[in-house]
């Protein structure tokens, strides 16, 4: 995650709202695993639900998404988290970035168990199960001749798991740990190894995935500087001792040393301390004060009879140095009695006053606000110059003026994280971030002002270039409105028909490139900001075939973004082949086959205002983080391009051809079908506002 650059002193003004919604009350929900939150207790008891009332319940197709009906029959409690409400109402949970079908676990009654310990175990037991899936997509590269280790991960089923190879490169030097799923070995040559891995749980369920392990050349050893024999010093720095000049003497004509004339006795000069005052010190910072004297008979020897403030020492040569600790009220001005003695026995003592200032932490860095439909997120960087001394960051809000102190306003957050949510944003408010050290001393404030306005909704505003593969593409008569505004999820059993189809074809079929249609949508009255976690979500109409939650219809597309509509940046994607554990056939219905970077993978939960479409923890759809592009300065975008992949036309980040289902009864990748390929429902920004980007044109 990165944050937009900003004026460090003042103000980032952001807009929040949705047309037709007026001022919306913020409700707190999960943003992403990397986001910091307020305590769950506050979240559960003080916030209204974003789940629609029964009058807005999903249509009957949702029942087909969960044939057992058990998840939908669970009681929803007031204290349930938003994620738990979604699980109970829709039978879905989000694991490893993918929405998976969840089945409630039936528990024995507490009274039947009979003990407090058993009741505690019951409360801690899993609430649901998901099918067994291998979640790993791409393996890290290996280097020829160097040890290699990587872990394959899985979720669901009934652990523990048993791992085994299910085919792949014959004679591979890589072994698979049966208990942990860890790959290990030493590849010997440049190559690409194919590893097909099977995982089996204790109930006999299995999943199979295929991986490509690319082996590259080993890193060249760094050259060490030349060194002399039997020495650790570089040879160029060794100088012969025979070259050193010898002491010189003045010779008389006869070659004997000249005699020095006898010195006359002088009156001794009184010993005097020249230093008149000590510089001020600051707790926690290195302090140095050289002491000087004159007269007497050098050398001088400095000392003190009394104890010095903690962290300071007096060197005999007259250097007072060290790092003083935080002073209390009595030790902020300390008298020091310092003594100097010369070689002849003269002694002089003088008292100095040492002032020790309280340590003030460095200010919080890059304090930034991001707004969404119903949320305001605050992010920051903790001071980098004194991480060990930082005790907490405190965020406060004031409706009337910029907070001057850490107590001047409502406390929103205190801790060591780098992000938090404001659970009750005001139409306009001032925020301040303070870094506190171990003694509670605050840093100077970092300020923000955030204005929350209705009218700047977070959804795409216009359609640019649309290039369908079929001239009669489904939904085109509804353009542009059909892909603008909030998503219209149509249920997990059938998907939405409020979409436009892009089309998809197979390279094996008659025709020429392109083998997938595309569309560009734009944000006109705002931009998408690179905030904490994902920044935008693309909604398709993924659904469960025949109500089978383990067999989803996915029509993948790649996603590219741009600031100006000319320079485009495509999210890296990973096609990770999955195979049927019984038949060995390629399984393009597996939820992790389009492992990373694709749209058209996850079902859509959001439908109008039933849930917050800007919150990927509850909205469904496929979310993307601008930070994953690693493009300097790309901390906001305005345009999004969606390209249907087609079958065996586009390659992923590993150079592997991306497959698209091309079999009956759906004919997803056929040029002649009006409803083939990716079906766009909506695109929403997660974080919206006014971009303030360095070295870019202001939007």
């Amino acid at each position: 995650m990165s944050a937009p650059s900003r004026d460090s002193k003042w103000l980032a003004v952001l807009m929040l709202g949705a047309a037709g919604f007026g001022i919306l009350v913020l409700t707190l929900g999960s943003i992403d695993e990397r986001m910091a939150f307020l305590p769950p207790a506050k979240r559960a008891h003080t916030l209204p639900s974003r789940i629609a009332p029964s009058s807005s319940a999903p249509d009957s197709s949702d029942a087909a998404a969960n044939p057992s009906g058990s998840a939908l029959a669970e009681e929803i409690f007031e204290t349930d988290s938003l994620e738990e409400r979604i699980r109970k109402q829709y039978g879905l949970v989000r694991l490893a970035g993918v929405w998976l079908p969840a089945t409630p676990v039936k528990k024995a009654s507490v009274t039947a168990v009979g003990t407090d310990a058993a009741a505690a175990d019951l409360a801690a037991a899993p609430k649901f199960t998901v099918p067994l899936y291998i979640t790993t997509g791409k393996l890290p590269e290996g280097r020829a001749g160097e040890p290699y280790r990587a872990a394959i991960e899985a979720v669901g089923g009934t652990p523990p798991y048993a791992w085994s190879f299910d085919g792949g490169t014959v004679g591979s030097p890589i072994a698979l740990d049966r208990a942990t799923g860890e790959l290990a070995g030493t590849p010997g040559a440049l190559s690409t190894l194919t590893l097909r891995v099977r995982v089996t749980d204790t109930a006999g369920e299995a999943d199979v995935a295929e991986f490509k392990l690319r082996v590259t050349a080993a890193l060249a050893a760094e050259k060490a500087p030349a060194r002399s024999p039997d020495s650790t010093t570089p040879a160029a720095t060794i100088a012969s001792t025979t070259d050193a000049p010898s002491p010189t003497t003045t010779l008389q004509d006869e070659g004997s040393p000249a005699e020095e004339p006898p010195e006359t006795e002088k009156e001794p000069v009184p010993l005097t301390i020249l230093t008149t005052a000590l510089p001020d010190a600051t707790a926690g910072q290195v302090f140095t004060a050289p002491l000087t004297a004159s007269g007497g008979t050098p050398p001088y020897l400095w000392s003190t009879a009394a104890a010095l403030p903690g962290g300071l020492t007096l060197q005999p040569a007259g250097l007072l140095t060290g790092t003083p600790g935080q002073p209390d009220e009595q030790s902020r001005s300390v008298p020091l009695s310092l003594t100097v003695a010369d070689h002849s026995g003269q002694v002089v003592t003088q008292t100095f006053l040492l002032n020790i200032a309280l340590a003030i932490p460095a200010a919080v860095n890059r304090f930034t606000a991001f707004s969404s439909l119903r949320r305001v997120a605050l992010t920051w960087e903790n001071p980098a110059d004194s991480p060990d001394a930082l005790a907490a960051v405190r965020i406060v809000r004031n409706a009337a003026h910029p907070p001057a102190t850490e107590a001047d306003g409502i406390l929103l957050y205190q801790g060591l994280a780098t992000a938090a949510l404001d659970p009750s944003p005001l139409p306009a408010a001032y925020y301040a971030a303070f870094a506190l050290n171990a003694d509670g001393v605050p840093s100077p404030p970092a300020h923000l002002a955030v204005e929350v306005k209705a009218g700047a909704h977070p959804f795409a505003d216009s359609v640019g270039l649309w290039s369908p593969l079929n001239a009669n593409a489904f939904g085109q008569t509804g353009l542009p409105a059909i892909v603008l505004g909030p998503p219209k999820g149509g249920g997990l059993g059938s998907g939405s028909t409020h979409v436009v189809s892009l089309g998809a074809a197979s390279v094996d079929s008659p025709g020429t490139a392109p083998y997938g249609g595309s569309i560009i949508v734009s944000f006109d009255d705002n931009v998408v900001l690179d905030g904490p976690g994902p920044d935008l979500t693309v909604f398709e109409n993924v659904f469960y075939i025949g109500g089978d939650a383990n067999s989803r219809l996915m029509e993948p597309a790649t996603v590219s973004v741009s600031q100006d509509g000319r320079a485009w940046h495509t999210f890296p994607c990973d096609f990770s082949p999955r195979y049927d554990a019984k038949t060995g056939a390629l399984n393009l219905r597996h939820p992790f086959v389009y492992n990373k970077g694709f749209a058209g993978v996850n079902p859509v939960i959001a439908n109008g205002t039933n849930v917050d479409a800007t919150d990927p923890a509850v909205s469904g759809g496929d979310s993307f983080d601008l930070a994953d592009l690693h493009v300097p300065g790309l901390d906001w975008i305005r345009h999004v391009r969606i390209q249907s992949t087609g079958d065996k036309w586009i390659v992923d980040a590993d150079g592997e051809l991306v497959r698209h289902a091309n079999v009956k009864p759906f004919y997803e990748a056929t040029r002649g079908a009006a409803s083939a390929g990716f079906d766009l429902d909506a695109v929403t920004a997660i974080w919206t506002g006014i971009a303030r980007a360095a070295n870019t044109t202001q939007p």
Side-chain angles (χ1 to χ4, degrees):
M1 169 195 81
S2 63
S5 58
R6 63 171 190 84
D7 188 313
S8 60
K9 292 184 179 180
W10 194 240
L11 298 172
V13 179
L14 305 174
M15 296 182 292
L16 169 66
F21 291 101
I23 299 296
L24 295 172
V25 177
L26 178 147
T27 55
L28 177 61
S30 165
I31 297 177
D32 187 83
E33 290 80 358
R34 291 170 287 178
M35 188 71 183
F37 303 102
L38 294 173
K42 295 183 180 179
R43 190 168 68 230
H45 296 285
T46 62
L47 302 174
S49 167
R50 281 179 286 172
I51 304 291
S54 57
S55 60
S56 303
D59 60 26
S60 59
S61 60
D62 278 349
N66 189 351
S68 68
S70 56
L72 302 183
E74 286 188 277
E75 183 179 358
I76 296 178
F77 298 101
E78 188 66 28
T79 55
D80 283 344
S81 67
L82 291 169
E83 291 86 348
E84 184 71 356
R85 290 167 180 255
I86 291 293
R87 182 188 71 79
K88 290 180 177 181
Q89 183 164 346
Y90 297 94
L92 292 175
V93 294
R94 188 167 179 260
L95 296 175
V98 175
W99 286 91
L100 302 176
T103 303
V105 174
K106 294 182 179 180
K107 301 178 182 179
S109 67
V110 176
T111 55
V113 176
T115 66
D116 291 341
D121 291 342
L122 185 65
K127 297 179 181 178
F128 60 88
T129 62
V130 299
L132 175 63
Y133 292 123
I134 294 175
T135 60
T136 300
K138 182 180 178 181
L139 293 179
E141 289 186 345
R143 297 192 181 276
E146 297 181 5
Y148 178 85
R149 304 185 82 90
I152 308 294
E153 297 181 348
V155 297
T158 309
Y161 305 137
W163 298 84
S164 62
F165 281 128
D166 205 52
T169 302
V170 177
S172 170
I174 302 298
L176 176 65
D177 190 303
R178 287 186 56 82
T180 66
E182 183 180 58
L183 298 170
T186 303
L190 304 184
S191 60
T192 298
L193 305 176
T194 299
L195 307 174
R196 191 175 292 188
V197 175
R198 174 184 290 263
V199 63
T200 306
D201 68 3
T202 56
E205 297 298 320
D207 194 27
V208 178
E210 186 174 275
F211 304 96
K212 299 289 192 221
L213 171 54
R214 306 190 188 283
V215 182
T216 60
L219 292 174
E222 295 184 3
K223 292 184 178 180
R227 298 184 181 277
S228 60
D230 302 321
S231 172
T232 58
T233 304
T237 66
I238 302 295
S240 171
T241 56
T242 59
D243 296 333
S246 57
T248 58
T249 57
T250 303
L251 299 181
Q252 294 180 347
D253 291 342
E254 292 82 4
S256 60
E259 293 184 3
E260 295 287 342
E263 289 188 4
T264 58
E265 271 192 37
K266 300 178 181 178
E267 288 291 329
V269 178
L271 178 61
T272 304
I273 295 177
L274 298 180
T275 301
T276 58
L278 296 177
D280 291 341
T282 300
Q285 297 183 15
V286 176
F287 172 80
T288 300
L291 305 172
T292 59
S294 67
T297 305
Y300 306 130
L301 183 65
W302 291 83
S303 63
T304 180
L308 295 173
L312 296 181
T313 59
L314 177 60
Q315 298 179 5
L319 183 65
L320 182 63
T321 186
T323 304
Q326 193 81 330
D328 54 27
E329 291 292 338
Q330 290 73 36
S331 59
R332 293 186 185 180
S333 293
V334 184
L336 301 181
S337 182
L338 306 180
T339 298
V340 61
D342 72 351
H343 191 61
S344 67
Q346 293 189 70
V347 176
V348 177
T349 299
Q350 185 171 326
T351 299
F352 299 87
L353 190 65
L354 176 62
N355 297 315
I356 303 178
L358 294 175
I360 298 177
V364 170
N365 304 315
R366 294 177 65 85
F367 186 38
T368 310
F370 299 89
S371 63
S372 185
L373 182 62
R374 295 185 176 105
R375 300 173 295 165
V376 171
L378 302 163
T379 67
W380 59 88
E381 294 177 0
N382 293 337
D385 56 350
S386 58
D388 295 335
L390 184 67
V393 169
R394 181 175 291 179
I395 309 296
V396 295
R397 185 191 70 201
N398 193 305
H401 56 263
T405 70
E406 76 279 12
D408 184 17
I410 296 174
L411 177 65
L412 295 178
Y413 172 82
Q414 181 165 314
L416 289 173
T418 56
L421 285 173
D422 182 347
S424 53
L426 302 175
Y430 299 91
Y431 297 84
F434 299 85
L436 307 179
N437 64 15
D439 296 285
V441 178
S443 70
H447 282 125
L448 282 177
V450 177
E451 186 175 2
V452 180
K453 289 184 177 180
H457 67 71
F459 309 109
D461 298 298
S462 62
V463 174
L465 182 64
W466 178 57
S467 302
L469 210 59
N470 185 295
N472 299 313
F474 178 85
Q476 65 174 299
T477 58
L479 284 174
I482 200 169
V483 297
L484 306 179
K488 301 288 182 64
L492 306 180
S494 62
S496 174
T497 57
H498 192 271
V499 297
V500 66
S501 297
L502 302 185
S506 175
V507 172
D508 296 334
S509 302
T512 59
Y515 292 91
S518 63
I519 191 170
I520 295 174
V521 297
S522 300
F523 293 81
D524 300 331
D525 60 0
N526 53 19
V527 293
V528 181
L529 294 179
D530 183 11
D535 305 305
L536 69 148
T537 301
V538 178
F539 298 94
E540 210 244 1
N541 66 345
V542 178
F543 64 90
Y544 298 147
I545 300 172
D548 182 358
N550 297 314
S551 179
R552 62 178 71 191
L553 176 63
M554 296 177 290
E555 298 172 302
T558 60
V559 176
S560 306
V561 295
S562 174
Q563 291 180 337
D564 57 10
R566 296 184 296 273
W568 291 92
H569 309 279
T570 302
F571 287 95
C573 56
D574 176 27
F575 173 73
S576 181
R578 298 300 197 260
Y579 294 86
D580 188 281
K582 296 179 180 178
T583 67
L586 179 65
N587 179 12
L588 295 178
R589 309 300 190 200
H590 193 290
F592 288 95
V593 67
Y594 303 109
N595 198 269
K596 181 181 180 182
F598 292 98
V601 174
N602 281 303
V604 177
I605 297 173
N607 184 331
T609 59
N610 68 325
V611 298
D612 186 351
T614 68
D615 186 351
V618 296
S619 67
D622 304 293
S623 300
F624 297 84
D625 187 346
L626 295 179
D628 290 340
L629 293 168
H630 304 290
V631 177
L634 195 71
D635 50 11
W636 62 271
I637 60 96
R638 176 159 302 208
H639 310 280
V640 179
R641 182 176 65 199
I642 300 164
Q643 172 72 65
S644 185
T645 65
D647 183 43
K648 295 187 286 187
W649 174 46
I650 289 177
V651 296
D652 69 1
D654 288 335
E656 187 158 13
L657 285 171
V658 177
R659 299 299 311 275
H660 188 302
N662 189 32
V663 295
K664 293 182 179 180
F666 294 101
Y667 298 101
E668 288 87 18
T670 177
R671 197 179 295 269
S675 59
F678 185 92
D679 301 310
L680 179 61
D681 183 354
V683 180
T684 182
I686 294 174
W687 304 113
T688 61
I690 300 172
R692 302 185 182 279
N695 303 318
T696 56
T697 302
Q698 291 295 310

